[in-house]
Amino acid sequence: MSLFRKKSLATLLETAADSEKGLKRTLGATNLVALGIGAIIGAGLFVRTAAAAAEASGPGVTLSFIVAAIGCAFAGLCYAEFASMIPIAGSAYAYSYVTMGELVAWIIGWALIMEYALGAATVSIAWSEYLNNLLGGSIPYQWCHSPFEALHKVVGSDAIAQIGAFNAEFIKTAKDGALILTEKQFEALPANLSSLVAVTHGIVNAPALIILLALTLLLIKGTQESAMVNAIIVFIKVAIVLLFIALGWQFINPANHTPYLIPEGTTGHEGFFKHGYGGILGGAAIVFFAFIGFDAVSTAAQEAKNPKRDMPIGILGSLVVCTILYILFGHVLTGVANWQEFKTSGKEASVAYAIQTYMHGYGWLATAVTVAILAGFSSVILVMLMGQSRIFYTMSNDGLIPKAFGDLHPKFKTPYKANWILFVFVGLFAAFVPGSVAGDLTSFGTLFAFVLVSAGVWIMRRTDPNIERPFRTPWVPLVPILGVVICAGMIIALDLETLKVAFIWMIIGLVIYFAYSRKTSKLNEPGHRPGEILPKKSDFN
């Protein structure tokens, strides 16, 4: 059995056309654009913007968004060609199965779990953080954080003064008689001072589990219902983003944008991807998480009414709208508050922190933003869970994972068992793993998918040039090559620990493939013709 045996496009389209047994086609172009925006504007904008500024790019996070968007644009054009040509659930997994064979398809399918499942986990963690901020911190730390996180808090002016005498940099973020230290700052304290710090360890992130359960139940109820709820949420959060940009612009302090890039030699920013122009690329790798929404649209291709026309509109339209909003938002956020403050005080709720601290008289906006963000995060989780369940559905139909993942609800026609299994998997991550870890792994899965989809378009143009392509990626092979190069560059820019964990994850996936999936694949069934010639344009007429 060849490791690179392919599934024919004719077989894929035949499966997609069987509306009696498959998913319902209920989504139009507007629904698809809303799904894309719903997935894109969320944790990436409201959380990862501040994280990228604090860790790598400073005010230059706007340039990081541009770099990430350019990589997305090249990949997005390639996704649009595939999604219009192969309108089935499965996204990059299905495209790779047709162009590069089963082993590559499995690898990308396994990587997509990091993109969608861990993406949902990351955003549910952010949802929990913003809920606690809205409630004034009334949820005990241990019940809204993972066991691997700890709060290092110093209370009292005397204690803060003693720590300030040790290192004045540590107390710059002290506020209202309290000081929160980072893990590194706490470890740097001598024993006599560390005893002044109250340490609280997390137990489980309960709010994250609650929102995951609620959205899982909505997805089981139906795709159209989920799309309607998402559209309402998208309208609310885009309106709030525009409001923050418009009102925040007058509070921009030009000094916060000088220098625009983090200078070399800045403490805590050692390494090429932590400062200067390298920091722009490092920041792009962090905020790239913000762009996973547009490819999530492609997982809904089998539920689109007119996929040949609507899929390119949904993918590219949502990408353009959100890129413009991201650049403006990043410029205002880093102008209102200094990027260094996001290392501590503004880490969990950077937007609300900036408003409350510097936009005096607009306290109501901080509350409105927090409410909108909670709703926005909900739509992101919704789309991520939907995308992953559809990939599971397709992989199950191909025999690569157990049949239960492909079972549809007898009434709602949704992959309800996949939704429940996904809830358990994502819930474990959300409850017990820090958001920063899951977020970086999500970026890896996304970038890896983009690399293979970009390469797949070029390969298919050479091997099967006459297939009907309702949307054609321009300037092939230049666009696919640039998509591969830029996205691969951002993978390299991810931190070493993330790459190590991703490598281990991929090894586990290969073990599962050779021990189980390769044997259960439907390509093994009698009568299947591996390497079957793909249909030409005339075959569709």
Side-chain angles (χ1 to χ4, degrees), residues 73-394:
F74 294 133
L77 290 168
C78 296
Y79 263 98
E81 176 168 316
F82 268 135
S84 65
M85 183 173 64
I86 310 175
I88 68 165
S91 185
Y93 159 78
Y95 310 152
S96 299
Y97 216 149
V98 172
T99 58
M100 289 173 272
E102 185 172 273
L103 178 61
V104 176
W106 169 264
I107 291 173
I108 194 58
W110 189 250
L112 284 172
I113 295 175
M114 285 194 289
E115 176 176 353
Y116 294 121
L118 296 190
T122 302
V123 182
S124 66
I125 292 169
W127 189 93
S128 172
E129 293 169 351
Y130 271 85
L131 176 66
N132 201 22
N133 178 268
L134 180 66
L135 299 177
S138 60
I139 302 176
Y141 183 90
Q142 56 267 38
W143 296 114
C144 58
H145 288 81
S146 90
F148 299 101
E149 295 176 291
L151 176 68
H152 304 91
K153 188 174 184 179
V154 183
V155 180
S157 57
D158 290 341
I160 294 174
Q162 290 182 56
I163 291 176
F166 171 74
N167 191 327
E169 289 291 323
F170 287 8
I171 65 169
K172 284 187 175 180
T173 55
K175 185 179 179 182
D176 299 328
L179 170 65
I180 306 297
L181 296 177
T182 65
E183 183 75 26
K184 288 183 178 180
Q185 289 174 335
F186 174 72
E187 292 175 352
L189 293 175
N192 65 312
L193 292 181
S194 61
S195 62
L196 300 175
V197 182
V199 182
T200 304
H201 292 277
I203 296 176
V204 63
N205 199 327
L209 283 176
I210 293 172
I211 187 62
L212 286 170
L213 176 60
L215 295 176
T216 295
L217 292 173
L218 177 61
L219 282 169
I220 291 173
K221 177 65 172 64
T223 302
Q224 183 61 30
E225 291 82 354
S226 300
M228 289 178 61
V229 171
N230 176 72
I232 294 171
I233 293 173
V234 165
F235 176 80
I236 294 172
K237 68 180 179 181
V238 169
I240 295 297
V241 168
L242 291 172
L243 193 59
F244 172 75
I245 292 172
L247 295 177
W249 202 276
Q250 61 185 310
F251 289 94
I252 291 177
N253 180 0
N256 289 332
H257 286 153
T258 305
Y260 204 66
L261 303 180
I262 297 176
E264 185 176 0
T266 302
T267 304
H269 291 272
E270 296 78 14
F272 179 74
F273 296 113
K274 297 294 184 180
H275 67 272
Y277 290 105
I280 294 175
L281 190 57
I286 295 173
V287 300
F288 201 87
F289 172 80
F291 289 95
I292 62 177
F294 80 83
D295 70 301
V297 174
S298 67
T299 66
Q302 201 165 332
E303 293 158 278
K305 295 177 182 177
N306 186 3
K308 293 182 178 181
R309 179 182 70 89
D310 296 343
M311 292 310 297
I313 294 174
I315 292 171
L316 299 175
S318 59
L319 178 59
V320 169
V321 170
C322 293
T323 297
I324 295 171
L325 290 177
Y326 275 21
I327 294 170
L328 294 174
F329 187 92
H331 179 75
V332 172
L333 182 62
T334 56
V336 172
N338 189 279
W339 64 271
Q340 297 192 60
E341 296 177 67
F342 297 138
K343 293 180 178 180
T344 51
S345 298
K347 185 177 180 181
E348 291 192 344
S350 56
V351 184
Y353 166 79
I355 294 172
Q356 292 168 347
T357 306
Y358 295 103
M359 294 175 61
H360 302 297
Y362 287 93
W364 60 268
L365 180 59
T367 302
V369 165
T370 303
V371 172
I373 291 171
L374 283 171
F377 282 166
S378 300
S379 69
V380 175
I381 300 168
L382 184 72
V383 178
M384 296 296 98
L385 292 178
M386 186 178 97
Q388 184 60 61
S389 64
R390 271 50 178 180
I391 291 170
F392 278 158
Y393 169 79
T394 304

Side-chain angles (χ1 to χ4, degrees), residues 484-505:
V484 170
V485 171
I486 293 176
C487 293
M490 284 188 280
I491 289 178
I492 296 172
L494 290 169
D495 68 89
L496 187 59
E497 288 302 313
T498 297
L499 294 176
K500 286 180 180 178
V501 174
F503 178 75
I504 294 171
W505 176 258

